[in-house]
Amino acid sequence: MTSADTHTGTGTGTGTGSEAGHSQPDTAAFRPGAADRDAAPQFVLPLVARIEKAAPPSRTDALETAARAVLVLLSDERAADPDGVWYRAVRDWQDARIRKVVRRARGAEWRRAAALPGITVTGGSAEVRVYPPVPVDGWPKELAKLQVSGTELDDPVPPAAPPPGRPVLWLSPELEMSAGKAMAQAGHGAQLAWLRLPPAERSVWRAAGFPLAVRTAEPARWADLTRSGLPVVRDAGFTEIAPGSCTVVAEHPALTGR
């Protein structure tokens, strides 16, 4: 499972990523007037997926669980409250490039990873633990040892259509991504949706447990989605795919007026 992943996000599908720079103050995100994100110290958000050899999670469930894990961390008081123990780390991470790295663990590796400060989020078959951001070269040794490649995930049956009214993170039908890469991209999409929502809608989403779906868009609809004004993830191109590739469009009912 892999992703050493960075993105730029836009609100229009064609912009430069400035949309994410105007979040509400309680998100611990992007301070107004922050220095250029490339010049700022770089941090990474670690995510660890539990992949037991005998019972790996399904791919879609892993993607959805990773996306919810990012939202759970962003909304946690330790990250969102200026007095929270994770606030500074999250703020500094979001002032730079929003990097996420997904690694895999099982057995004793997972138990050691679970002992570190973080939050474990469970899905139907997936478990993903998310940690406060760390410097790019400052990983805890328990996480630095974990693999970032070598695992793929499948869906035993095609995922059903999302329930009406559920937020959907639409994956590009034009790109092939490993499970880890797609998990990181789904996390990016969820984060951009969160930053775009007004505080009242964030509260509603959080209270409901962050329901969401991750699906691959139909090719005929993908172009419309990327031009819709919804948050779009554009990959920085460090791994797997070309720089500037549109990977995810985040469709939340509160952002579409439905």
Side-chain angles (χ1 to χ4, degrees):
M1 177 168 292
T2 180
S3 185
D5 202 67
T6 307
H7 86 284
T8 56
T10 79
T12 64
T14 58
T16 62
S18 61
E19 179 65 32
H22 299 284
S23 58
Q24 298 297 324
D26 64 348
T27 62
F30 297 117
R31 289 165 294 177
D36 179 78
R37 291 199 302 272
D38 289 320
Q42 299 295 305
F43 296 83
V44 62
L45 185 78
L47 297 107
V48 176
R50 184 178 186 180
I51 312 291
E52 297 292 345
K53 194 171 184 179
S58 67
R59 180 183 175 97
T60 295
D61 189 35
L63 269 57
E64 293 174 350
T65 304
R68 287 194 297 111
V70 171
L71 293 167
V72 168
L73 180 128
L74 289 173
S75 64
D76 190 282
E77 286 76 9
R78 288 169 289 184
D81 190 316
D83 293 325
V85 66
W86 297 342
Y87 177 85
R88 178 63 181 269
V90 171
R91 186 195 66 182
D92 290 348
W93 165 61
Q94 293 193 121
D95 277 346
R97 290 289 179 182
I98 303 178
R99 301 187 180 198
K100 298 179 181 70
V101 172
V102 178
R103 300 192 174 192
R104 60 184 171 89
R106 64 173 180 254
E109 294 175 333
W110 173 256
R111 291 190 290 274
R112 287 192 292 269
L116 297 177
I119 305 170
T120 297
V121 176
T122 59
S125 59
E127 288 183 74
V128 176
R129 189 163 179 84
V130 61
Y131 304 85
V134 298
V136 170
D137 57 356
W139 282 69
K141 65 180 185 299
E142 295 89 345
L143 303 184
K145 296 176 181 178
L146 299 178
Q147 295 294 317
V148 296
S149 62
T151 298
E152 260 307 336
L153 301 173
D154 299 307
D155 284 314
V157 296
R166 178 157 298 187
V168 182
L169 305 173
W170 294 106
L171 301 176
S172 170
E174 302 169 352
L175 300 171
E176 293 288 336
M177 292 186 282
S178 68
K181 178 77 171 182
M183 288 171 72
Q185 296 294 311
H188 293 335
Q191 185 170 1
L192 291 186
W194 175 257
L195 293 174
R196 268 281 209 91
L197 290 171
E201 294 294 344
R202 291 197 200 115
S203 296
V204 170
W205 201 12
R206 184 188 185 194
F210 293 118
L212 58 83
V214 178
R215 298 291 187 272
T216 299
E218 292 293 333
R221 191 174 176 228
W222 178 244
D224 291 337
L225 282 167
T226 59
R227 295 192 296 261
S228 65
L230 293 168
V232 177
V233 178
R234 294 181 183 274
D235 192 66
F238 293 149
T239 61
E240 296 193 26
I241 57 180
S245 298
C246 296
T247 58
V248 177
V249 175
E251 185 179 40
H252 190 291
L255 300 179
T256 62
R258 294 204 302 267

